[in-house]
Amino acid sequence: MLSEEELQKKWESLTFTDNFIFSHVMHDENICRQVVELILDVRIGKIHYLSAQDEHKTDPDSMRIIMDVFLRDENRIITVEMQTGHKKELPRRSRYYQSVADVSTTPTSSLYPDLPDNILIFICTFDPFDRNFPRYTFQYTCQEADHQLKLEDGSFRIFLNTATEELNNLDQKLKAFYHYIQKGVVESELAQNISHKITTLKNDSIVRRFYMTWSITMADMRRDGFEEGLTTGLEQGREQGAYETKLETAKSFLAMGLSPEQVAQGTNLPLEVVQELMKSQ
């Protein structure tokens, strides 16, 4: 297990590509809007966060997933994920994520024409399809029509390959975003905002304390065999245990006398969830 000093060094070295940092930064509505609008090249309406690092599944027996950023505006639901590994499973992972996004946001009284567009964005620190494209956009098309006929079901899957050096066809703002992810260089207002937000998070004792507690808990899970393997096990543990870990950490923070607002800020749990936990203690 890492010592407190080692955990502190790790905390100080975290970047935007770390899931913990990414989720917290993207919960800043201004930054989230800038990132999503930059990637989609469209204006989006008022953002409603559906979750940030919360657990989602379609029924009690279905596979659980953790979404980094899950939101909607008036016209679309949008899932944004930071991906630093698991290249081979991404296509099927994207299929499942998009299905869960639809099912978990559609009321029983809805009609099919009422379904909003469903956009999934994977920001990858590697090339997910080995073609060296900076961006891969997928829609359903008809093979018999040489892919000229689109299904027009409102679903889109976008994979950003931020590892590529082939950025000449990108506009300056998107190129600067790639450079920030690749090298941490600040060349745009968005990169400056993200960098400032990360600095603020790292100086927040509540968020830092939660990260330390979360890291120790996850290390205990690995040691106890909860996670199988060094790579796939980490993701499995994240998806099966991260939400429960956040709840337990929130309970501990409440017992220490922190306010529900402070606990919500540190754990990234919705305030109403923390308030319910407080009532049950």
Side-chain angles (χ1 to χ4, degrees), residues 83-95:
Q83 290 291 320
T84 59
H86 306 287
K87 177 177 179 177
K88 292 183 179 179
E89 70 178 43
L90 271 187
R92 291 180 184 269
R93 174 186 287 271
S94 67
R95 163 185 155 189

Side-chain angles (χ1 to χ4, degrees), residues 68-193:
D68 288 339
V69 182
F70 188 30
L71 57 92
R72 73 173 300 159
D73 69 357
E74 289 83 355
N75 304 308
R76 52 187 78 85
I77 51 176
I78 302 171
T79 307
V80 189
E81 293 283 311
M82 178 63 72
Q83 290 291 320
T84 59
H86 306 287
K87 177 177 179 177
K88 292 183 179 179
E89 70 178 43
L90 271 187
R92 291 180 184 269
R93 174 186 287 271
S94 67
R95 163 185 155 189
Y96 191 74
Y97 272 47
Q98 217 162 21
S99 298
V100 172
D102 266 334
V103 173
S104 64
T105 59
T106 306
T108 56
S109 59
S110 297
L111 301 175
Y112 291 120
D114 298 331
L115 287 175
D117 286 352
N118 186 334
I119 301 172
L120 175 63
I121 301 170
F122 278 165
I123 302 174
C124 303
T125 59
F126 53 88
D127 188 342
F129 301 104
D130 298 321
R131 299 293 184 90
N132 204 30
F133 297 156
R135 174 194 185 107
Y136 301 87
T137 303
F138 292 89
Q139 289 180 274
Y140 292 113
T141 60
C142 179
Q143 296 182 34
E144 288 78 6
D146 294 326
H147 302 283
Q148 299 303 308
L149 174 61
K150 295 181 180 180
L151 187 59
E152 301 290 357
D153 66 341
S155 65
F156 305 84
R157 301 183 204 178
I158 299 169
F159 300 80
L160 300 189
N161 166 24
T162 65
T164 185
E165 298 294 332
E166 298 295 327
L167 304 177
N168 292 333
N169 293 329
L170 301 182
D171 66 39
Q172 286 302 118
K173 289 184 178 180
L174 192 54
K175 187 183 297 186
F177 182 66
Y178 275 58
H179 284 165
Y180 180 72
I181 293 176
Q182 290 172 344
K183 306 170 184 177
V185 294
V186 176
E187 303 173 337
S188 65
E189 180 183 352
L190 173 57
Q192 185 176 10
N193 290 342

